[in-house]
Amino acid sequence: MDDLLTIGTFAKAARLSPKALRIYDELGLLLPARVDPVTGYRFYTPRQLEQARLVAWLRRLDMPLARIREVCTLDAPAAAREVRAFWAQVEADTAARRDLAAFLVDHLSGPDQSQDPGAPQNGTRLRIRCAVLTDTGQVRAGNQDAAYAGARLLAVADGFGPGGDLASAAAIDALKPLETELIPAGSLLNALEDAVSRAGRAVQDLADDEAGTTLTAMLWTGSQLALVHIGDSRAYLLRDGGLFQITHDHTMVQSMVEQGRISQAEADSHPQRSLLLRALSGDRAATSDLRLHEVRAGDRYLLCSDGLSAEVPLPELRRVLTTVADPEEVVRELIAAANRAGGTDNASCVVADVLPHQE
Ligand code: MG
């Protein structure tokens, strides 16, 4: 058996304070090898040094105690996977909070915005020019996608199950009243959240529990786009030549990527890649992602169903979006590309360009 070290010697070797070691003991994170029954003095073995350092590092990551306890029981490769999964979750949470903070800063420092489309923002008046197209594809008998581009609302929904076409149409219809409602700037996200609840209820009111739909939609306010998203349809932003996916797929494979269990390339070709973790469905309510997105003149937005994003390779998507000027022509070319690639699913897209307002 290893020689026992006093708490003072062990603390010095582990570069921790005796107080920290006593706390780790009380929390069950690092138990002493022996506690003197008379004096209560704690003793440790040199082999516990590594675990003591690991606990200290995990505490510095603000990992919850229960999770630290679990990591300490794992071998090194499994512990590495667990730390990677924990950190991916922290980054996802931080990104969501960053969006909210950016919105609050903008909201608190700007003048009260009316919801008039084309309202002045930083002295610039903006407008959008958009186009929409949905297509059955080469294989499916019917089209369960729905897509819409109105004066203020852009939306794509991908229905599934029996009556999936009704579900996708009902979800978009439930958002349409937002196009004509006057919404105070501070209430925009709440109004959108209410509309999504309406969409969820509309889908649940349809007959079949198995039916459901994704929904990715943007509401244009004249200076901002409010974004709502659930499922695996996507929104992309083309800005300054860079193409960014601004939604997060609610799929099983995407969560496996974030946990470090599979690579992005493996996810893209995974046979179960369309298995959804969240959707508006007949049998359960699920939360949507909601956020506000500051727009700039020159931005181009693409909303699309997975029949387009899964079929058309990213370089081709980027080529069409960067080289074709007219949104009507862009949607036609993108759908044609999906069909050339096999057209195995229904494909839909909305393209919207943000332009300076014409005087
Ligand atoms: Mg689809």
Side-chain angles (χ1 to χ4, degrees):
M1 175 149 174
D2 292 316
D3 293 334
L4 290 178
L5 306 176
T6 63
I7 189 169
T9 311
F10 185 78
K12 209 167 187 176
R15 300 194 177 183
L16 289 165
S17 66
K19 185 178 166 201
L21 289 172
R22 281 195 290 274
I23 291 170
Y24 293 176
D25 180 10
E26 284 157 15
L27 297 174
L29 297 175
L30 181 69
L31 302 178
R34 190 174 98 81
V35 180
D36 188 292
V38 179
T39 62
Y41 288 156
R42 294 167 170 86
F43 295 91
Y44 296 82
T45 68
R47 282 190 303 180
Q48 287 182 291
L49 276 173
E50 199 167 337
Q51 189 180 347
R53 291 190 189 111
L54 179 60
V55 169
W57 288 328
L58 295 175
R59 296 266 291 168
R60 285 175 63 181
L61 288 183
D62 282 335
M63 186 182 275
L65 299 176
R67 201 150 177 182
I68 293 179
R69 255 182 241 123
E70 199 184 318
V71 171
C72 289
T73 65
L74 301 173
D75 61 22
R81 280 196 296 276
E82 189 61 23
V83 172
R84 194 182 297 128
F86 167 73
W87 196 249
Q89 187 60 50
V90 170
E91 292 198 328
D93 292 346
T94 304
R97 290 164 61 208
R98 183 175 56 224
D99 288 343
L100 179 59
F103 161 66
L104 287 172
V105 168
D106 182 63
H107 173 61
L108 295 170
S109 41
D112 188 30
Q113 306 283 322
S114 85
Q115 293 306 297
D116 172 32
Q121 167 76 358
N122 303 328
T124 315
R125 289 167 68 84
L126 300 172
R127 65 192 173 94
I128 52 172
R129 182 175 60 161
C130 54
V132 56
L133 194 59
T134 180
D135 189 82
T136 304
Q138 305 291 303
V139 175
R140 302 275 172 100
N143 190 352
Q144 295 198 314
D145 280 5
Y148 177 81
R152 294 169 66 180
L153 179 68
L154 315 170
V156 165
D158 179 350
F160 54 84
D165 55 336
L166 301 178
S168 57
I172 291 182
D173 282 347
L175 297 191
K176 284 183 185 170
L178 292 174
E179 286 206 291
T180 48
E181 275 172 23
L182 193 67
I183 308 162
S187 314
L188 185 59
L189 282 182
N190 292 347
L192 199 56
E193 194 166 28
D194 290 346
V196 176
S197 299
R198 275 201 307 271
R201 282 196 300 277
V203 172
Q204 286 177 340
D205 287 345
L206 297 169
D208 205 301
D209 274 4
E210 305 279 298
T213 184
T214 71
L215 179 64
T216 299
M218 291 180 128
L219 185 67
W220 168 244
T221 70
S223 60
Q224 288 181 311
L225 279 168
L227 172 68
V228 58
H229 167 70
I230 185 164
D232 67 347
S233 297
R234 290 182 174 175
Y236 290 91
L237 164 63
L238 181 72
R239 175 178 285 176
D240 300 332
L243 183 63
F244 310 95
Q245 184 183 334
I246 56 173
T247 50
H248 171 94
D249 293 348
H250 298 142
T251 56
M252 185 69 80
V253 292
Q254 188 57 39
S255 78
M256 287 163 76
V257 170
E258 281 152 21
Q259 290 166 16
R261 289 160 62 196
I262 58 172
S263 69
Q264 189 63 54
E266 286 167 325
D268 292 344
S269 59
H270 199 283
Q272 300 267 287
R273 66 176 181 272
S274 60
L275 196 63
L276 294 177
L277 286 183
R278 284 198 256 158
L280 299 178
S281 65
D283 63 344
R284 67 198 149 95
T287 35
S288 310
D289 294 342
L290 286 167
R291 51 190 264 232
L292 284 159
H293 188 82
E294 201 63 42
V295 298
R296 292 191 205 155
D299 283 351
R300 167 170 275 183
Y301 293 86
L302 166 70
L303 307 186
C304 65
S305 63
D306 70 330
L308 196 126
S309 56
E311 294 278 19
V312 181
L314 205 52
E316 175 67 357
L317 199 64
R318 190 192 313 271
R319 186 194 67 75
V320 174
L321 287 170
T322 51
T323 60
V324 180
D326 179 9
E328 294 283 353
E329 202 177 322
V330 174
V331 296
R332 280 198 300 273
E333 283 212 20
L334 289 177
I335 296 291
N339 281 325
R340 274 198 307 276
T344 57
D345 192 2
N346 308 142
S348 304
C349 57
V350 173
V351 168
D353 287 342
V354 179
L355 306 167
H357 206 278
Q358 282 172 331
E359 294 304 327

